[in-house]
Amino acid sequence: MRFRSLAALAVSVCLAAFGSNASAVGATDVAASSAAPANPPGDDGPAYGPELQGFTYPAPVHQFEFASQGEQLHMSYMDIAPEHPNGRTVVLLHGKNFCAATWEGTIGRLTAAGYRVIAPDQIGFCKSSKPQRYQFSFQQLARNTHALLESIGVKQATIVGHSTGGMLAVRYALMYPEATQQLVLVNPIGLEDWKAKGVPSLSVDQWYERELKTTAGGIRRYEQATYYSGQWRSDFEPWVQMLAGMYRGPGKKEVAWDSALLYDMIYTQPVFYELGQVSMPTLLLIGQKDTTAIGKDAAPPDVRAQLGHYPELGRAAAKAIPHATLVEFAELGHAPQMQDPQAFHKALLDGLAALPAGH
């Protein structure tokens, strides 16, 4: 299947929304800089619905309809078949500030190599349902994902999880080891227990008030510092607008409330205590400049200084997981698949190809 560039499309949409002052930022300009643009776009831009209505994904979006916790829900997903199948399936699990669409580059590389790719939006995220009275847990999200895969005939797959998706991937692998051929963790969060280290608890109401203040500028500053090692490129901007657009739209409060519930889930459900129980071959792809830690900004300075040390966290995880291979990216941050796609995809494809026979 031929992929068009979602990044180029979304940049052009954003430029139109920002007006002629942004015309100097080309859709193909991917040169890195040490700071954000001199005149970065403000908080004006496209508005999207609570299920990302109006934002285009790089492949057709399907809906998995199911009942959960007394509600009828739908889980959006892309299912992309390769032109020359190699018989393997890869499931891509997005992070907290990401969507299935942000895997665009990875989807293209995997399908070109013969892999069938399934990329869902989890319940509470992006194009999927935003239930307002849902008991979010990684176990529930894993069950939802497993039910989706069963519904489309996927009995075994390599599970790739990035950021919060890494926490979900670990939980999925622990719950469904027979269905997990291989596990790949891309800068997963949850490799430390922030609560145990002293990060103060925030109530769901407090998370909600914080989320209501979400702006494109705030997202951009955070992502530049944490995801991209202080760099900024025009091809990062569409993903800022993807998130900010939901907070400009008519479903802002629904989006913010589900986001608050999800942050509470992430904070209260660490997975790293169980890493020793992961039984399948596991590939860890870790950007060393990452400093992500949930609630870090609310912690006192002495606690904050102890958090998000990914060189240490990645090596400790590799030691804890019985069949782990660690690949470190010395100059990359939280999103290596977006910051340096060439280096990331080489490591990913090499790691997938190295799966021992019989797995």
Side-chain angles (χ1 to χ4, degrees):
M1 177 173 188
R2 186 179 173 210
F3 273 72
R4 55 199 174 81
S5 172
L6 176 61
L9 169 66
V11 168
S12 64
V13 170
C14 294
L15 293 178
F18 296 139
S20 60
N21 289 339
S23 61
V25 183
T28 59
D29 173 21
V30 294
S33 66
S34 60
N39 295 300
D43 289 327
D44 292 331
Y48 301 122
E51 295 176 6
L52 257 186
Q53 294 93 334
F55 188 88
T56 304
Y57 273 30
V61 177
H62 308 283
Q63 301 297 338
F64 171 52
E65 308 278 350
F66 66 107
S68 177
Q69 300 184 21
E71 296 197 50
Q72 288 299 128
L73 304 174
H74 68 88
M75 189 171 175
S76 298
Y77 67 98
M78 293 179 285
D79 183 353
I80 307 96
E83 187 174 348
H84 303 290
N86 64 11
R88 290 180 60 186
T89 299
V90 175
V91 178
L92 301 175
L93 303 179
H94 62 78
K96 172 65 179 66
N97 294 325
F98 300 81
C99 296
T102 54
W103 284 113
E104 180 191 18
T106 303
I107 292 169
R109 291 295 299 273
L110 287 171
T111 53
Y115 296 91
R116 177 186 179 184
V117 177
I118 314 297
D121 281 338
Q122 295 298 322
I123 295 299
F125 292 88
C126 309
K127 287 187 178 292
S128 291
S129 295
K130 303 292 186 307
Q132 300 294 284
R133 292 182 175 84
Y134 202 62
Q135 180 62 54
F136 282 101
S137 69
F138 285 111
Q139 287 88 343
Q140 181 67 67
L141 297 186
R143 290 187 182 100
N144 297 348
T145 302
H146 190 251
L148 162 65
L149 296 178
E150 284 194 322
S151 77
I152 56 176
V154 175
K155 298 186 181 302
Q156 194 176 55
T158 290
I159 306 298
V160 179
H162 169 237
S163 190
T164 298
M167 293 183 78
L168 174 56
V170 171
R171 181 57 58 204
Y172 184 96
L174 291 170
M175 291 175 67
Y176 305 105
E178 72 291 341
T180 307
Q181 186 178 36
Q182 184 181 21
L183 184 63
V184 181
L185 303 176
V186 183
N187 281 77
I189 62 171
L191 298 182
E192 59 187 333
D193 186 341
W194 310 291
K195 175 165 52 69
K197 286 189 171 183
V199 174
S201 172
L202 296 177
S203 70
V204 171
D205 291 324
Q206 287 173 311
W207 279 117
Y208 177 61
E209 290 302 318
R210 287 161 61 109
E211 289 301 284
L212 286 174
K213 299 173 184 176
T214 299
T215 65
I219 295 169
R220 191 180 302 109
R221 287 188 295 272
Y222 174 76
E223 292 191 354
Q224 180 184 359
T226 306
Y227 295 177
Y228 306 121
S229 315
Q231 299 176 351
W232 193 256
R233 301 195 309 246
S234 60
D235 58 316
F236 300 154
E237 185 64 25
W239 313 121
V240 172
Q241 298 303 326
M242 175 188 70
L243 298 175
M246 288 190 287
Y247 287 89
R248 298 188 191 105
K252 172 181 179 177
K253 291 183 177 180
E254 298 169 53
V255 172
W257 181 253
D258 267 22
S259 185
L261 295 175
L262 290 160
Y263 272 123
D264 186 68
M265 173 190 76
I266 295 166
Y267 174 83
T268 58
Q269 298 178 30
V271 296
F272 91 100
Y273 295 111
E274 299 167 81
L275 292 180
Q277 299 175 34
V278 173
S279 59
M280 63 288 302
T282 299
L283 177 64
L284 287 158
L285 301 174
I286 308 293
Q288 300 292 283
K289 300 293 187 183
D290 192 1
T291 59
T292 303
I294 298 299
K296 184 177 180 178
D297 62 320
D302 59 326
V303 172
R304 198 178 309 147
Q306 302 173 38
L307 305 173
H309 297 167
Y310 266 79
E312 298 171 17
L313 295 173
R315 290 163 200 161
K319 186 176 180 180
I321 297 171
H323 308 289
T325 300
L326 173 64
V327 178
E328 298 176 329
F329 302 102
E331 300 303 320
L332 303 184
H334 187 62
Q337 73 275 29
M338 298 159 79
Q339 191 177 1
D340 190 345
Q342 184 173 353
F344 173 81
H345 291 126
K346 182 183 186 306
L348 174 62
L349 290 169
D350 287 350
L352 296 183
L355 181 68
H359 285 272

